[in-house]
Amino acid sequence: MNGNQDAAIQRSDNRSYRFNRMELAGSLGDLGTLLPLSIGMILINGLNPLGLFAGVGLFYIFSGLYFNVTTPVEPMKVIGAYAIATGISASHIQASSLWIFIVLMIIGGTGIITPIGRSIPKPVIRGVQLSTGVLLVSQGVKLMLGTSTFQALRQAAEPFLNVQAVGPVPIGLVIGTLLGVLTLLLLDNRRLPAAIVVVGAGIGTGLLLGMGDGLKQIQFGFYLPDWLPFGIPSAGDFTFALLVLVLPQIPMTLGNAVVANADLSHQYFPDDGHRVTYRSLCISMALASLLSFFLGGMPMCHGAGGLASRYRFGARTAGSNLIIGTIFIALTLFLGNHLMGVIYLLPMSALGILLIFAGGQLSLTLLDMQTRKDLFVPVLVLGITLATNLAAGFLIGIAVAYALKSEKLSV
């Protein structure tokens, strides 16, 4: 190997791991998706915080080490949203993690996902990205208004703050508006990155206006997660999980976390993102869900929205994964279940701002659609998603995209 090749490899390695304020800022980008669903499943469904966030931290680190580019980590949203809305048991969620492992290992391990992914028309991918983006913006606004499912169940706009309103205005709307303005002003500022300001100001607000009960109970020590904290799920748990949680989740996972995520990663990292393939994403998520099964956590995925957010807030290398993964691992090892006292400091509205900008960034991938037919499909996928769900929009969008290849049809 000559000197030029050695230098090229060295430059590539340097690009893979940067540790600076922009990588730190970008590493915070998908907290808006991660924390609300995680907190909801801990408080409502009884998941163990130590096992859940240990799994998250390990998934961040190993994803970064393997993919060599910034890689998002998120809950599987269909499972998480249904779990919070209905209050199902932790055993049901645990069973769904094992099913997700089995299904994704079959799809990814056999390579079936590769021809499936390649057969999906680009306008459908853009439709999935647009729909996911709009859903993220909508969820972000709900977090600011205090109307998300979790906030409604807790009957509070900001469940962990002492103040709920400023006159007739929800406190989340006040906090979110101020943080939104700061984000707009600092979005391209490298000296004072927007995500660090949003999270830092949010934590400061939590310290100032928060209840502080969790902080008072913190006990430093050395904690390790339990293995199978809820035991082995029953046959009934596995049956319920497959029919109610897993089957509705799989089309969304393939559309958003596999196909749309791989497409976006290749846009952002044309030189360094070659490991982000349909097959590797399936296997990565499968192994993460197997880990969650044993730790009593939640099924996890790589969402395109999280990638868009991480990139927009400054993450460019796998160093961002190692930063946020190390933070989660440190919190779990030294605080155990008491880490929730730290998590509660961050207002829901601050997470909402992260979601709004993540959704906006992801939606803008639509801009490379040029023809009327190409634009019609993403809009159709969005409409069907808003009326039903993303899985239906994804599947119907594929059928319509192929139909519109005919010159006899026009829009």
Side-chain angles (χ1 to χ4, degrees):
M1 187 176 294
N2 60 40
N4 290 336
Q5 289 174 313
D6 289 336
I9 291 173
Q10 183 64 43
R11 287 195 300 271
S12 177
D13 290 341
N14 289 341
R15 284 199 303 270
S16 296
Y17 301 98
R18 291 191 195 128
F19 303 95
N20 54 40
R21 66 172 68 92
M22 296 307 298
E23 295 297 324
L24 172 60
S27 77
L28 306 174
D30 47 7
L31 293 185
T33 305
L34 176 67
L35 291 185
L37 285 175
S38 300
I39 294 171
M41 284 188 276
I42 288 168
L43 295 181
I44 295 170
N45 305 109
L47 292 188
N48 181 267
L50 176 53
L52 188 152
F53 286 117
V56 168
L58 290 170
F59 192 27
Y60 266 125
I61 290 173
F62 286 112
S63 296
L65 291 174
Y66 178 77
F67 290 112
N68 277 332
V69 294
T70 187
T71 307
V73 169
E74 302 177 358
M76 290 197 169
K77 298 175 190 64
V78 172
I79 293 175
Y82 184 88
I84 293 171
T86 59
I88 60 175
S89 71
S91 294
H92 289 133
I93 299 173
Q94 184 184 13
S96 73
S97 294
L98 189 59
W99 275 122
I100 291 291
F101 163 73
I102 294 170
V103 173
L104 290 183
M105 279 301 294
I106 292 172
I107 295 173
T110 60
I112 295 174
I113 185 59
T114 301
I116 292 175
R118 290 175 178 170
S119 67
I120 298 172
K122 188 174 182 179
V124 177
I125 298 173
R126 292 292 178 266
V128 171
Q129 291 166 337
L130 173 64
S131 301
T132 304
V134 171
L135 291 175
L136 290 176
V137 172
S138 174
Q139 184 65 19
V141 173
K142 289 180 180 178
L143 288 173
M144 287 175 59
L145 295 175
T147 58
S148 72
T149 301
F150 172 67
Q151 290 161 304
L153 290 171
R154 300 287 292 184
Q155 297 183 332
E158 289 289 354
F160 310 115
L161 296 184
N162 285 315
V163 179
Q164 295 301 310
V166 178
V169 182
I171 187 65
L173 189 58
V174 176
I175 296 170
T177 300
L178 294 174
L179 293 180
V181 172
L182 281 175
T183 303
L184 288 171
L185 292 172
L186 300 173
L187 201 51
D188 294 315
N189 191 313
R190 299 185 64 84
R191 293 177 61 84
L192 195 61
I196 294 179
V197 172
V198 169
V199 173
I203 291 175
T205 302
L207 288 170
L208 183 64
L209 302 178
M211 300 175 185
D213 294 340
L215 288 177
K216 296 175 184 176
Q217 297 174 7
I218 284 180
Q219 296 180 13
F220 290 96
F222 186 77
Y223 303 88
L224 291 174
D226 293 327
W227 205 244
L228 291 171
F230 309 112
I232 301 294
S234 67
D237 292 332
F238 279 112
T239 301
F240 176 90
L242 175 63
L243 298 177
V244 178
L245 302 177
V246 176
L247 292 181
Q249 175 68 57
I250 291 299
M252 181 174 180
T253 297
L254 297 182
N256 179 46
V258 178
V259 178
N261 184 54
D263 174 84
L264 195 62
S265 187
H266 295 157
Q267 285 186 57
Y268 290 159
F269 311 109
D271 297 325
D272 300 324
H274 60 275
R275 283 191 171 183
V276 185
T277 66
Y278 302 143
R279 185 171 182 270
S280 63
L281 288 170
C282 283
I283 294 174
S284 172
M285 293 185 290
L287 295 176
S289 294
L290 180 63
L291 177 65
S292 289
F293 172 77
F294 285 111
L295 295 182
M298 60 187 179
M300 294 180 285
C301 68
H302 301 299
L307 176 58
S309 181
R310 294 172 73 82
Y311 188 88
R312 187 66 183 95
F313 283 112
R316 296 293 184 272
T317 77
S320 62
N321 278 67
L322 302 190
I323 291 171
I324 192 66
T326 301
I327 290 173
F328 275 115
I329 293 297
L331 287 173
T332 57
L333 285 179
F334 299 120
L335 296 182
N337 290 334
H338 302 293
L339 68 87
M340 294 305 294
V342 177
I343 300 293
Y344 292 158
L345 290 176
L346 199 57
M348 295 288 109
S349 51
L351 300 174
I353 287 297
L354 296 177
L355 278 184
I356 289 171
F357 281 89
Q361 174 74 8
L362 186 58
S363 299
L364 292 176
T365 57
L366 183 71
L367 293 176
D368 66 353
M369 296 287 96
Q370 301 296 324
T371 69
R372 290 175 62 88
K373 286 186 177 181
D374 286 347
L375 284 167
F376 177 78
V377 173
V379 173
L380 176 66
V381 172
L382 173 62
I384 295 172
T385 297
L386 295 178
T388 55
N389 55 64
L390 183 56
F394 176 55
L395 296 174
I396 295 173
I398 293 173
V400 172
Y402 273 103
L404 289 177
K405 290 181 180 293
S406 171
E407 295 181 359
K408 297 180 181 179
L409 299 177
S410 61
V411 293

